[in-house]
Amino acid sequence: MSGGEAFLNNVLYMLKNAADYLNLDSGIHDVLKKPKRVVVVSVPVKMDDGSLRVFTGIRVQHNNARGPYKGGIRYYPSVDVEEVTALAMLMTFKCAVTDLPYGGAKGGVACDPKNLSKNELEKITRRYTAMIYEIIGPYLDIPGPDVYTDAQTMAWMVDTYSMMRGVFTPEVATGKPISLYGSLGRHDATSRGAVYIIREYFKTINKPLKDARVVIQGYGNVGYNAAKILHEEYGAKIVAVSDSKGGIYVADGAHPDKILEHKQKTGSVINFPGSKLLTNEELLTTPCDILIPAALENSITKEIAEKVEAKLIVEGANGPTTSEADKILFERKIPVIPDILSNAGGVTVSYLEWVQNLKRETLTLEEVHAKLEAKMVKGFHDVMNTSKKYETPLRLGALIFAVDRVAEAINYLGIWP
Ligand code: GLU
């Protein structure tokens, strides 16, 4: 079974659990099991060395009962239809948890961005955008950034779409550069949203965040910014972090910016001065107050779940915990704040960006933070209350809440014709 298939099975299994709790109509369950549309395109690109290569590009639109499809685009070698489908489903439910007027989608191109030049990435992005042009749009499907795509990628998408339509359309994508009507606060929104959730959770257990020991898997946009906000704004200690090359442990905690500088200079967080080298498994099983998996799906497997020594897991990535691991963590009484709640900050500020673009207005950073905070805090309490009501772990509570909301929209809309 490929990683994508295993991931999709996990998501379908969770959906079934939520459907059972809700006594969901089997027809509605069938609607939610499958994406509405899957588009696979072959993206031909003339490489810098003159050779021609063909990349597989995917856009999966899962459901649009609550609004236009919304979701990121990832560039990664193992991207496949199953993985993107699982991620698109999670987007439908994520947007429902924080009550964004969107459905769910996801896209990706199977490529290795670390071995591509900027010129090649631009060509891939433009040709991929041109090939999915007919199924995206500001009221139809709005892409955003995800793994190994960024504000520049979104700017190329906007330009390609605008050129083809003959109309400047910045609202077709979110996560853009500020000078191209990106939103203030979008770059660290996923992390800031996760930190609001952590803060709320710590209030419920009556513990201070100051000096809390934090371990982070993945030191990309989400991992680094979570470390920075937790350390600088809440006084937490970042004791271990990792990237694809390995992990580091610093007993007294390290400044997130110093780690970033080291990574930028050497290409990895490993060998950070004064740190001890960790394997991926050692990192995930390091004793700590908060573990944030912020890399890729299927990271916390059942073997790792048995050894996790964190008091709380907060999912920065999408789908980092397998269903088997989830069960073990539940038995071991280690709470997991699920992706569709904890990392919803990114798409929430994407929504704020889209609204600003449609209105040709600009929010201040303080306004963005206040709106993000309100959405995350409301989502947190909605999920906590649902979990309490149904006596379930938080992931199932979040899904029950979201599936109910989406199912109600489908019911009211009815099935056409
Ligand atoms: N990639 C982000 C996520 O997984 C957000 C995408 C967006 O802003 O559309 O939630």
Side-chain angles (χ1 to χ4, degrees), residues 59 70-74 87 91 94 102 105-106 142-147 174-175 186 190 316 318 339 343-351:
R59 185 71 178 166
K70 181 84 188 90
I73 307 276
R74 60 170 57 184
L87 292 161
M91 286 310 299
K94 191 184 297 186
Y102 288 137
K106 202 81 173 197
I142 306 124
D146 197 79
V147 175
T174 59
R186 176 64 184 85
T190 309
N318 290 309
D339 44 13
N343 74 27
V347 72
T348 300
V349 177
S350 275
Y351 156 71

CSV table of all heavy atoms in Angstrom, one decimal, residues 59 70-74 87 91 94 102 105-106 142-147 174-175 186 190 316 318 339 343-351, ligand 1:
chain,number,residue,atom,x,y,z
A,59,ARG,N,-5.4,18.0,-9.3
A,59,ARG,CA,-6.3,18.9,-8.4
A,59,ARG,C,-7.5,18.0,-8.1
A,59,ARG,O,-8.1,17.5,-9.0
A,59,ARG,CB,-6.7,20.2,-9.2
A,59,ARG,CG,-7.5,21.1,-8.3
A,59,ARG,CD,-6.6,21.8,-7.3
A,59,ARG,NE,-7.4,22.8,-6.5
A,59,ARG,CZ,-6.9,23.3,-5.3
A,59,ARG,NH1,-5.7,23.0,-4.9
A,59,ARG,NH2,-7.6,24.2,-4.7
A,70,LYS,N,-11.5,25.1,-1.7
A,70,LYS,CA,-10.3,25.8,-1.2
A,70,LYS,C,-9.3,24.8,-0.7
A,70,LYS,O,-9.6,23.8,0.0
A,70,LYS,CB,-10.7,26.7,0.0
A,70,LYS,CG,-9.6,27.5,0.6
A,70,LYS,CD,-9.4,28.8,-0.2
A,70,LYS,CE,-8.1,29.5,0.2
A,70,LYS,NZ,-6.9,29.2,-0.6
A,71,GLY,N,-8.0,25.1,-1.0
A,71,GLY,CA,-7.0,24.2,-0.5
A,71,GLY,C,-5.7,24.4,-1.2
A,71,GLY,O,-5.6,25.0,-2.4
A,72,GLY,N,-4.6,24.0,-0.6
A,72,GLY,CA,-3.3,24.3,-1.1
A,72,GLY,C,-2.8,23.4,-2.2
A,72,GLY,O,-3.5,22.5,-2.6
A,73,ILE,N,-1.6,23.8,-2.7
A,73,ILE,CA,-0.9,23.0,-3.8
A,73,ILE,C,0.4,22.6,-3.2
A,73,ILE,O,1.2,23.5,-2.7
A,73,ILE,CB,-0.6,24.0,-5.0
A,73,ILE,CG1,-1.9,24.7,-5.5
A,73,ILE,CG2,0.1,23.2,-6.1
A,73,ILE,CD1,-2.7,24.0,-6.4
A,74,ARG,N,0.7,21.3,-3.3
A,74,ARG,CA,2.1,20.9,-2.8
A,74,ARG,C,2.9,20.3,-3.9
A,74,ARG,O,2.4,19.7,-4.8
A,74,ARG,CB,1.9,19.9,-1.6
A,74,ARG,CG,1.2,18.6,-1.9
A,74,ARG,CD,1.4,17.6,-0.8
A,74,ARG,NE,0.9,18.1,0.5
A,74,ARG,CZ,1.0,17.5,1.7
A,74,ARG,NH1,1.5,16.3,1.7
A,74,ARG,NH2,0.5,18.0,2.8
A,87,LEU,N,-6.1,14.7,1.5
A,87,LEU,CA,-5.9,16.1,1.9
A,87,LEU,C,-7.1,17.0,1.6
A,87,LEU,O,-7.4,17.9,2.3
A,87,LEU,CB,-4.6,16.7,1.3
A,87,LEU,CG,-3.3,16.0,1.8
A,87,LEU,CD1,-2.1,16.2,0.9
A,87,LEU,CD2,-3.0,16.6,3.2
A,91,MET,N,-9.5,19.2,4.0
A,91,MET,CA,-9.8,20.7,3.8
A,91,MET,C,-11.3,21.0,4.0
A,91,MET,O,-11.7,22.0,4.5
A,91,MET,CB,-9.3,21.2,2.4
A,91,MET,CG,-7.8,21.3,2.3
A,91,MET,SD,-6.9,22.3,3.5
A,91,MET,CE,-7.7,23.9,3.4
A,94,LYS,N,-11.8,20.9,7.6
A,94,LYS,CA,-11.1,22.0,8.3
A,94,LYS,C,-11.9,23.3,8.1
A,94,LYS,O,-12.1,24.0,9.1
A,94,LYS,CB,-9.7,22.1,7.6
A,94,LYS,CG,-8.8,23.0,8.4
A,94,LYS,CD,-7.4,23.1,7.6
A,94,LYS,CE,-6.7,21.8,7.5
A,94,LYS,NZ,-5.4,21.9,6.9
A,102,TYR,N,-16.3,27.9,2.7
A,102,TYR,CA,-15.5,27.1,1.7
A,102,TYR,C,-15.8,25.6,1.7
A,102,TYR,O,-16.2,25.1,2.8
A,102,TYR,CB,-14.0,27.2,1.9
A,102,TYR,CG,-13.4,28.6,1.6
A,102,TYR,CD1,-12.4,29.1,2.5
A,102,TYR,CD2,-13.7,29.3,0.4
A,102,TYR,CE1,-11.8,30.3,2.2
A,102,TYR,CE2,-13.1,30.5,0.2
A,102,TYR,CZ,-12.1,31.0,1.1
A,102,TYR,OH,-11.5,32.2,0.8
A,105,ALA,N,-10.5,21.3,-1.2
A,105,ALA,CA,-9.8,20.8,-2.4
A,105,ALA,C,-8.3,20.7,-2.0
A,105,ALA,O,-7.9,21.2,-1.0
A,105,ALA,CB,-9.9,21.8,-3.6
A,106,LYS,N,-7.5,20.1,-2.9
A,106,LYS,CA,-6.1,20.1,-2.7
A,106,LYS,C,-5.4,19.8,-4.1
A,106,LYS,O,-6.1,19.2,-4.9
A,106,LYS,CB,-5.7,19.0,-1.7
A,106,LYS,CG,-4.3,19.2,-1.1
A,106,LYS,CD,-4.5,20.2,0.0
A,106,LYS,CE,-3.2,20.3,0.8
A,106,LYS,NZ,-3.5,21.0,2.1
A,142,ILE,N,-10.1,28.0,-5.1
A,142,ILE,CA,-9.0,29.0,-4.8
A,142,ILE,C,-7.8,28.3,-4.2
A,142,ILE,O,-7.8,27.9,-3.0
A,142,ILE,CB,-9.6,30.1,-3.8
A,142,ILE,CG1,-10.9,30.7,-4.4
A,142,ILE,CG2,-8.6,31.1,-3.5
A,142,ILE,CD1,-12.1,30.6,-3.4
A,143,PRO,N,-6.8,28.1,-5.0
A,143,PRO,CA,-5.6,27.5,-4.5
A,143,PRO,C,-4.8,28.4,-3.4
A,143,PRO,O,-5.0,29.6,-3.4
A,143,PRO,CB,-4.7,27.3,-5.7
A,143,PRO,CG,-5.6,27.3,-6.9
A,143,PRO,CD,-6.7,28.3,-6.4
A,144,GLY,N,-4.0,27.7,-2.6
A,144,GLY,CA,-3.2,28.4,-1.7
A,144,GLY,C,-1.9,27.6,-1.5
A,144,GLY,O,-1.7,26.6,-2.2
A,145,PRO,N,-1.0,28.1,-0.7
A,145,PRO,CA,0.3,27.4,-0.5
A,145,PRO,C,0.2,26.1,0.3
A,145,PRO,O,-0.7,26.0,1.2
A,145,PRO,CB,1.2,28.4,0.1
A,145,PRO,CG,0.3,29.4,0.8
A,145,PRO,CD,-1.0,29.3,0.1
A,146,ASP,N,1.1,25.2,0.2
A,146,ASP,CA,1.2,24.0,1.0
A,146,ASP,C,2.7,23.6,1.0
A,146,ASP,O,3.6,24.5,0.7
A,146,ASP,CB,0.3,22.9,0.5
A,146,ASP,CG,0.0,21.8,1.5
A,146,ASP,OD1,-0.8,22.0,2.4
A,146,ASP,OD2,0.6,20.8,1.4
A,147,VAL,N,3.0,22.3,1.2
A,147,VAL,CA,4.4,21.9,1.3
A,147,VAL,C,5.2,22.3,0.0
A,147,VAL,O,4.8,21.9,-1.1
A,147,VAL,CB,4.4,20.3,1.5
A,147,VAL,CG1,5.8,19.8,1.5
A,147,VAL,CG2,3.6,20.0,2.8
A,174,THR,N,-4.5,32.5,-2.8
A,174,THR,CA,-4.2,33.1,-1.5
A,174,THR,C,-2.8,32.7,-1.1
A,174,THR,O,-2.2,31.8,-1.6
A,174,THR,CB,-5.2,32.8,-0.4
A,174,THR,OG1,-5.1,31.4,-0.2
A,174,THR,CG2,-6.6,33.2,-0.7
A,175,GLY,N,-2.3,33.5,-0.1
A,175,GLY,CA,-0.9,33.2,0.3
A,175,GLY,C,0.1,33.9,-0.6
A,175,GLY,O,1.2,33.5,-0.8
A,186,ARG,N,-0.3,36.3,6.9
A,186,ARG,CA,-0.6,35.0,6.3
A,186,ARG,C,0.6,34.1,6.5
A,186,ARG,O,0.5,32.9,6.6
A,186,ARG,CB,-0.9,35.1,4.8
A,186,ARG,CG,-1.1,33.8,4.1
A,186,ARG,CD,-2.3,33.0,4.6
A,186,ARG,NE,-2.5,31.7,4.0
A,186,ARG,CZ,-1.8,30.6,4.4
A,186,ARG,NH1,-1.0,30.6,5.4
A,186,ARG,NH2,-2.1,29.4,3.8
A,190,THR,N,-0.6,29.7,10.0
A,190,THR,CA,-0.9,28.3,10.5
A,190,THR,C,-0.3,28.2,11.9
A,190,THR,O,-1.0,27.6,12.8
A,190,THR,CB,-0.2,27.4,9.5
A,190,THR,OG1,-0.6,27.7,8.2
A,190,THR,CG2,-0.6,25.9,9.8
A,316,GLY,N,0.7,20.1,13.5
A,316,GLY,CA,0.9,21.2,12.5
A,316,GLY,C,0.8,20.8,11.1
A,316,GLY,O,0.2,21.5,10.3
A,318,ASN,N,-0.7,18.1,8.1
A,318,ASN,CA,-2.0,17.4,7.8
A,318,ASN,C,-1.7,15.9,7.9
A,318,ASN,O,-0.8,15.3,7.3
A,318,ASN,CB,-2.5,17.7,6.4
A,318,ASN,CG,-2.9,19.2,6.4
A,318,ASN,OD1,-3.7,19.7,7.2
A,318,ASN,ND2,-2.4,19.9,5.4
A,339,ASP,N,-5.3,18.0,13.2
A,339,ASP,CA,-5.0,19.0,12.1
A,339,ASP,C,-6.1,19.9,11.7
A,339,ASP,O,-5.9,21.1,11.5
A,339,ASP,CB,-4.5,18.1,10.9
A,339,ASP,CG,-5.3,16.9,10.6
A,339,ASP,OD1,-6.4,16.8,11.2
A,339,ASP,OD2,-4.9,16.0,9.8
A,343,ASN,N,-4.3,23.2,12.7
A,343,ASN,CA,-3.6,23.9,11.6
A,343,ASN,C,-4.5,24.7,10.7
A,343,ASN,O,-4.1,25.1,9.6
A,343,ASN,CB,-2.6,23.0,10.8
A,343,ASN,CG,-3.3,22.1,9.9
A,343,ASN,OD1,-4.4,22.3,9.4
A,343,ASN,ND2,-2.7,20.9,9.6
A,344,ALA,N,-5.7,25.0,11.2
A,344,ALA,CA,-6.7,25.7,10.4
A,344,ALA,C,-6.4,27.2,10.3
A,344,ALA,O,-7.0,28.0,9.5
A,344,ALA,CB,-8.1,25.6,11.0
A,345,GLY,N,-5.4,27.7,11.0
A,345,GLY,CA,-5.0,29.1,10.9
A,345,GLY,C,-4.6,29.6,9.5
A,345,GLY,O,-4.9,30.7,9.1
A,346,GLY,N,-3.9,28.7,8.8
A,346,GLY,CA,-3.4,29.1,7.5
A,346,GLY,C,-4.6,29.4,6.6
A,346,GLY,O,-4.7,30.4,5.9
A,347,VAL,N,-5.5,28.4,6.5
A,347,VAL,CA,-6.6,28.6,5.5
A,347,VAL,C,-7.6,29.7,6.1
A,347,VAL,O,-8.2,30.4,5.3
A,347,VAL,CB,-7.4,27.3,5.2
A,347,VAL,CG1,-8.2,26.8,6.4
A,347,VAL,CG2,-8.3,27.5,4.0
A,348,THR,N,-7.6,30.0,7.4
A,348,THR,CA,-8.4,31.0,7.9
A,348,THR,C,-7.9,32.4,7.5
A,348,THR,O,-8.7,33.2,7.0
A,348,THR,CB,-8.4,31.0,9.5
A,348,THR,OG1,-9.0,29.7,9.8
A,348,THR,CG2,-9.3,32.1,10.1
A,349,VAL,N,-6.6,32.6,7.5
A,349,VAL,CA,-6.1,33.9,7.0
A,349,VAL,C,-6.1,33.9,5.5
A,349,VAL,O,-6.3,35.0,4.9
A,349,VAL,CB,-4.7,34.2,7.6
A,349,VAL,CG1,-4.1,35.5,7.0
A,349,VAL,CG2,-4.8,34.3,9.1
A,350,SER,N,-6.1,32.8,4.8
A,350,SER,CA,-6.3,32.7,3.4
A,350,SER,C,-7.7,33.3,3.1
A,350,SER,O,-7.9,34.0,2.1
A,350,SER,CB,-6.2,31.3,2.8
A,350,SER,OG,-4.9,31.0,2.5
A,351,TYR,N,-8.6,32.9,3.9
A,351,TYR,CA,-10.0,33.4,3.7
A,351,TYR,C,-10.0,34.9,3.9
A,351,TYR,O,-10.7,35.6,3.1
A,351,TYR,CB,-10.9,32.7,4.7
A,351,TYR,CG,-12.2,33.5,5.1
A,351,TYR,CD1,-13.2,33.6,4.1
A,351,TYR,CD2,-12.3,34.0,6.3
A,351,TYR,CE1,-14.3,34.4,4.5
A,351,TYR,CE2,-13.4,34.8,6.7
A,351,TYR,CZ,-14.4,34.9,5.7
A,351,TYR,OH,-15.5,35.7,6.0
B,1,GLU,N1,-2.2,24.4,2.9
B,1,GLU,C1,-2.9,24.9,4.0
B,1,GLU,C2,-3.7,23.8,4.7
B,1,GLU,O1,-3.4,22.6,4.6
B,1,GLU,C3,-3.8,26.0,3.6
B,1,GLU,C4,-4.2,26.2,2.2
B,1,GLU,C5,-4.9,27.4,1.8
B,1,GLU,O2,-4.7,28.5,2.5
B,1,GLU,O3,-5.8,27.4,0.9
B,1,GLU,O4,-4.6,24.0,5.5
